[in-house]
Amino acid sequence: MCGIVSVYMLAVPAVRTQERASAKPLDLIEWNGGKFLYGVDYYPEAWEEGQWEKDATLMQEAGINFVRLAEFAWVKMEPQQGRFNFDWLDRALQVLNAHGIKAILGTPTASPPAWLYEKYPDIAAMDPNGIRYRYGSRRNYCLHNPDFVAATRRIVTAIAEHYRDHPGVIGWQIDNELGDPKCFDPLSRVAFQKWCQRKYQTLDALNKAWGTVFWGHTYQAWSEIPLPWNTLENAHNPSLALDFDRFQSDSTHAYLDTQAAILRTMAPHQAVTHNEMGLYAGVDYYNLNRSVDFVAWDNYPMFEKDYAQYNGPGLAHDLMRGSKNNQNYMVMEQQGGLPGWSTFSGRQASPGLYRVWAYQSVAHGADGVCYFRWRTSRYGTEQYWQGVLDQDSFPNSRYKAVAQTGKELGQLTELLHGSKVVSPVALLVSPDSRWAFEIQPLVEGFHYDRQLHDFYDAFRRAGVSVDVAFPESDFSAYRMLVAPALFVTDQTLVDKLSAYVKNGGTLILSFRSGVKDEHNVVTNRTLPGAFAELAGVAIHDFDPQINEEQEVVGPGESHFPTCVWSDILEPTTAKIVATYGKGYYAGKAAVTENGVGKGWVYYVGSESTSPFFYDRLIARAAQKSSLPLNATLPQGVELAVRQKAGVKILFVLNYTDRAQTVALDQVYHNALTGRQEPLEVKIPAFDVKVLTTPSPGGPPAVR
Ligand code: GLA
């Protein structure tokens, strides 16, 4: 049946309800009727209807209480322009709802129908060589194409109109993993020129900010401004390139806003989110998330560094949480099987590890976990990307792990409700610096994200929770703030960091900080530029050294190999903590410590390959900050904590294939069994223990 069928249509509220995104944080468990959000990504459109009832029964038995649906089903919903069909989705919802399973609906814009491309070929994105991508994959659209935006409005309005009062629909996921591709077509160029005009007002200001005097790239009309498309030698002005990254991020944000505004107007009581990509750098998530009610992201631990050794996606979890001021979030795609498109991309993980990864999400602040996907597809590109079930729908070992986790999370919901991660330390991530390092990678072997990990992992090894802060975040609650390679800064951020230190904070900076202004232009001050006074050092010489040719001596007497860069530090007011061990600058300062106001500033001039270097360094800085560190955890074991009024909830996660023992600071109760655990807690292989402090004066929080 076609045509606009608004079964659930009620009067549209007169007032636009845009406030929710900025008002009181959404309590996800309350929003889901008191249940921890436990879900699967489900594609009923790809299976015989006769299968749906069996699926819903199996889901219910595994504790699943919601599904994400329809994010790629545009052509099913709008088979011809302006003619809509939601019958199939209504029927699927009916089956699911009858089993107590609600839905978050995807707006299907990540996969526009073939007919739309036939009618409007220019909606496809153009690559940097000026060639449009052909139809056949997904996410192939240009955000600046008015026909695409009109088509977006039409489908989002129709779907919202149809489902806004559906009792089984609780919210919306906008699009799917917004970000690439960047579009280099003429309309995008005009949009960029307008963006520049709004930002700089005059061409004079733009030419000055970008330093277009170089190579005579001065612009005399807005229409002359190019995109960072393919050029001879692939050379572009880094200032233009950074503004283009900001423009791209803003355009993505504006596109999300276009959809969010429709959904909020038509369905103000349903919540809006988007499935993000953890450490993906293409979008400034802090800005984007001003427009969602809660953060959701897609978590595939197997793609993370040392996933079997350590806490894999921990940093990505914390970045996602930090991108909306540490409000609890959800995982919209939690790895439910082996990943792979045309090839399987690794060895199978133990079923227990899928459960541990789900708990890791919870431990880092997720109040919802949704597995990608319910069942492996029989069709298309992702035939090798495993769901929880395989194509034969047999309740396999992964299903059993999911069902066990579902049962346990049901039991733990009351305890978890209202609890949060509270961290004494924050890691400052600068989207501008990340982009600038992508534009000019500095030296072979340098990776901004590895710098983040160097410090982050050290704190996590010491059992310390870390928040990820952005330049706009409030730093005041943190005892320590680590700002690795703060390459691009503006005066506002410099002032904020300086006030933070003077008020008693400890700041750790590392090499290449203070090098560029907000326009990606190199400072003419002695390095570390705007941070020279705060760090109490001057840098008149540096060595981009690679291949572990250098070493750092200290803290203490130890020698630590380095892998990249040496800032040769000349203390002005700082004290030397470590020196270089080799070459013409042997004995010169490599790490310094400077007392400023009530706080401390550390400057780390090089990067070491040794985790012990970072362990030592943070131990020293933590001592100055009166921050107690826990004993180092066994490798492959993570300790993460959530807390609420007087109650601590500990998650001790064992990612290894052998039992591990962790010595804890006090006696805890097992939140699932209610039994007291010994001080030395034993965690079986690929397993997790959830521990809690007893309720004051009473029995354990959960029996
Ligand atoms: C992403 C997408 C999903 C799916 C998976 C697996 O996370 O959001 O639609 O494609 O990757 O490839």
Side-chain angles (χ1 to χ4, degrees), residues 557-698:
E557 293 303 305
S558 307
H559 291 234
F560 301 103
T562 63
C563 53
V564 75
W565 207 268
S566 301
D567 271 339
I568 302 161
L569 305 177
E570 293 174 24
T572 50
T573 55
K575 193 170 142 188
I576 298 175
V577 171
T579 54
Y580 290 105
K582 295 181 182 171
Y584 81 92
Y585 49 94
K588 295 274 167 98
V591 179
T592 55
E593 175 184 88
N594 195 34
V596 181
K598 295 187 204 148
W600 295 92
V601 178
Y602 289 81
Y603 191 96
V604 185
S606 187
E607 182 177 10
S608 178
T609 48
S610 166
F612 301 118
F613 170 73
Y614 294 96
D615 291 345
R616 287 275 182 84
L617 190 71
I618 66 154
R620 180 173 174 130
Q623 204 182 12
K624 287 274 187 210
S625 326
S626 313
L627 173 70
L629 299 185
N630 300 328
T632 302
L633 291 159
Q635 199 183 23
V637 174
E638 183 184 1
L639 172 68
V641 184
R642 284 173 64 147
Q643 43 188 296
K644 61 180 180 183
V647 180
K648 270 205 284 182
I649 309 163
L650 267 61
F651 297 79
V652 194
L653 305 134
N654 182 1
Y655 302 106
T656 70
D657 60 2
R658 56 201 178 279
Q660 302 270 11
T661 305
V662 177
L664 295 172
D665 60 335
Q666 63 171 84
V667 168
Y668 290 89
H669 285 85
N670 187 310
L672 285 166
T673 65
R675 275 188 230 112
Q676 189 173 305
E677 292 276 347
L679 262 177
E680 302 236 316
V681 179
K682 197 161 179 193
I683 322 289
F686 302 127
D687 208 342
V688 49
K689 278 200 175 162
V690 185
L691 308 173
T692 186
T693 39
S695 326

Side-chain angles (χ1 to χ4, degrees), residues 321 326 328 363-365 419-423 465 467 641-643:
R321 193 182 66 242
N326 294 305
N328 284 6
H364 283 256
S419 67
K420 286 186 63 115
V421 175
V422 180
S423 308
S465 283
D467 284 351
V641 184
R642 284 173 64 147
Q643 43 188 296

Side-chain angles (χ1 to χ4, degrees), residues 72 138 176-177 275 298 300 333 341 372 382 385:
F72 298 118
R138 61 177 172 177
N176 191 81
E177 297 189 339
N275 58 331
D298 297 346
Y300 293 98
E333 294 182 15
W341 274 18
F372 185 86
E382 294 185 9
W385 197 291

